[in-house]
């Protein structure tokens, strides 16, 4: 069954005119001319087949039908205005969906999230862990953490952490019968690979190592998996300086050597350029950047 609705613009004009009992004040509120108000009221009266206003002694009055109609619709307009205000307020605060790699979520964001929640209790954070990104944000994502070189057209990207890789192993390996006193000793240990063998190959090449079999050892699809394998004494991993930090601070992983491998990649906090200044997006982005920088300064001071 189709609904019989009056012209909605005429209805909005009628509500304003009835509330003020003045075409002039209704015109001022709606930023239109008095003639435009009169035209819309006439169109509504013609649609209804009823008179809604009458003039008496230079004053504007509602007819009995007009008063009844106004009483029925005024609460509807109030509800619409309140719903609109609520939606706009939620847009500024409200829910914030963050997309990021599972490893970064587990190793970095989740342990620190309570700090953000305490600072911004009105922002409802929703975490969406994804294995891969396509360099563009879906409609349901407000902020993302990307790993790469920072060049994603249409997105604002702010650097969080530049990546470098550290050889890491369980302290138990140092107690075994295979020494780890110098880099050449890597030849006697299993190398653990994160996604591919590329970085261990680069590390071996940069340090001019011979006899190290980089084509052997398990390959893991997630950084957290390779770090856990190393923590359980299964071999030596090249750990990301940020993602390995919790395991290193807990003493589950140690760095037996001073050598590191710099990579061209980094972690970035990104958002759509058009939403960069939205309150909840800017608040979360600024918190992440400030958090990352303060932690990096603490590491440099140590």
């Amino acid at each position: 069954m189709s609904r019989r609705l009056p012209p909605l613009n005429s209805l909005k004009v009628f509500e304003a005119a009835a509330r003020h009992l003045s075409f002039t004040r209704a015109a001022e509120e709606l930023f239109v001319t008095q003639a435009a108000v009169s035209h819309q009221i006439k169109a509504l009266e013609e649609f209804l087949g009823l008179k809604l206003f009458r003039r008496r002694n230079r004053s504007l009055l509602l007819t009995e039908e007009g008063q009844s109609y106004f009483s029925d619709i005024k609460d509807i307009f109030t509800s619409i205005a309140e719903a609109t205000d609520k939606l706009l307020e939620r847009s500024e605060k409200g829910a914030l969906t963050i997309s990021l790699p599972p490893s970064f979520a587990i190793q970095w964001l989740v342990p620190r999230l309570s700090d953000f929640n305490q600072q911004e209790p009105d922002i409802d954070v929703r975490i969406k862990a994804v294995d891969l990104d396509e360099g563009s944000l879906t409609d349901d994502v407000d902020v993302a953490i990307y790993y790469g070189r920072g060049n994603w057209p249409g997105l604002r990207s702010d650097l969080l952490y530049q990546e470098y890789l550290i050889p890491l192993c369980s302290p138990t390996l140092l107690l075994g019968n295979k020494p780890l006193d110098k880099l050449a000793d890597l030849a006697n240990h299993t190398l653990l690979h994160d996604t591919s063998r590329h970085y261990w190959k680069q590390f071996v090449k940069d340090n001019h190592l011979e006899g190290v079999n980089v084509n052997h050892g398990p390959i893991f699809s997630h950084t957290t998996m390779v770090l856990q394998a190393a923590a359980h004494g299964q071999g030596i991993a090249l750990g990301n300086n940020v993602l390995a930090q919790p395991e290193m601070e807990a003493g589950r992983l140690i760095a037996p050597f001073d050598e590191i491998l710099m990579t061209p990649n980094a972690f970035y906090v990104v958002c759509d350029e058009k939403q960069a200044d939205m309150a909840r997006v800017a608040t979360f982005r600024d918190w992440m950047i400030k958090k990352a920088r303060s932690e990096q300064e603490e590491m440099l001071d140590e």
Side-chain angles (χ1 to χ4, degrees):
M1 180 179 178
S2 63
R3 293 177 295 181
R4 191 183 182 196
L5 295 176
L8 297 183
N9 193 45
S10 296
L11 199 61
K12 180 178 70 172
V13 171
F14 166 71
E15 188 277 335
R19 179 161 32 86
H20 292 296
L21 287 178
S22 167
F23 284 6
T24 301
R25 292 179 63 185
E28 292 173 352
E29 177 182 312
L30 299 173
F31 300 101
V32 297
T33 64
Q34 184 175 341
V37 170
S38 297
H39 176 76
Q40 292 294 333
I41 295 300
K42 181 179 180 181
L44 181 60
E45 289 178 334
E46 290 177 351
F47 176 87
L48 297 171
L50 297 168
K51 280 290 185 182
L52 299 173
F53 292 96
R54 66 172 182 270
R55 293 190 177 276
R56 178 181 294 176
N57 300 328
R58 295 186 178 180
S59 62
L60 187 67
L61 301 175
L62 286 163
T63 64
E64 182 177 347
E65 293 81 5
Q67 181 62 57
S68 175
Y69 198 36
F70 176 62
S71 297
D72 288 337
I73 70 168
K74 66 179 180 179
D75 290 339
I76 297 173
F77 276 85
T78 299
S79 296
I80 293 173
E82 291 175 350
T84 302
D85 289 340
K86 182 179 179 180
L87 180 63
L88 293 176
E89 182 179 352
R90 180 179 180 275
S91 177
E92 288 299 303
K93 290 286 188 178
L96 180 78
T97 300
I98 305 157
S99 171
L100 71 170
S103 297
F104 195 92
I106 295 168
Q107 299 294 101
W108 195 91
L109 180 58
V110 171
R112 293 162 176 78
L113 197 55
S114 60
D115 177 68
F116 180 78
N117 291 335
Q118 290 174 4
Q119 293 185 35
E120 304 292 340
D122 293 331
I123 300 180
D124 181 20
V125 175
R126 301 174 183 178
I127 307 298
K128 181 179 181 182
V130 294
D131 289 327
L132 298 173
D133 64 70
E134 301 297 330
S136 61
L137 299 182
T138 57
D139 291 339
D140 62 336
V141 172
D142 300 298
V143 179
I145 306 301
Y146 280 178
Y147 170 79
R149 304 190 181 187
N151 183 23
W152 297 285
L155 297 179
R156 170 170 174 169
S157 61
D158 294 283
L159 176 67
L160 289 177
Y161 292 99
Q162 187 66 46
E163 180 184 55
Y164 59 88
L165 302 178
I166 316 164
L168 296 171
C169 66
S170 167
T172 60
L173 282 188
L174 301 183
L175 304 177
N177 57 8
K178 296 179 180 180
L180 269 174
D181 300 324
K182 54 187 182 299
L183 285 177
D185 292 334
L186 289 171
N188 301 316
H189 291 269
T190 299
L191 302 184
L192 307 174
H193 304 273
D194 187 350
T195 306
S196 75
R197 304 187 192 278
H198 169 75
Y199 285 124
W200 263 123
K201 288 181 179 180
Q202 188 64 48
F203 184 87
V204 168
K205 179 181 178 181
D206 290 352
N207 290 280
H208 310 288
L209 300 177
E210 296 181 1
V212 178
N213 186 2
V214 294
N215 293 314
H216 181 66
I219 299 176
F220 299 87
S221 62
H222 287 127
T223 298
T224 49
M225 295 168 65
V226 74
L227 293 175
Q228 287 301 306
H232 283 86
Q234 296 175 20
I236 304 174
L238 277 178
N240 176 283
N241 55 303
V242 177
L243 303 184
Q245 198 64 32
E247 308 300 330
M248 296 176 67
E249 291 176 351
R252 291 187 289 270
L253 288 175
I254 60 170
F257 312 114
D258 294 331
E259 287 79 3
I260 63 172
L261 176 66
M262 297 298 299
T263 83
N265 297 317
F267 287 107
Y268 294 84
V269 55
V270 305
C271 63
D272 192 301
E273 286 280 11
K274 298 176 182 178
Q275 295 185 330
D277 295 327
M278 186 179 294
R280 69 177 188 270
V281 172
T283 298
F284 185 79
R285 184 185 67 243
D286 293 346
W287 172 80
M288 286 205 74
I289 295 171
K290 182 179 179 181
K291 196 75 172 173
R293 288 178 180 173
S294 66
E295 292 181 1
Q296 287 174 319
E297 290 174 359
E298 289 177 6
M299 292 175 64
L300 291 174
D301 292 337
E302 292 177 355

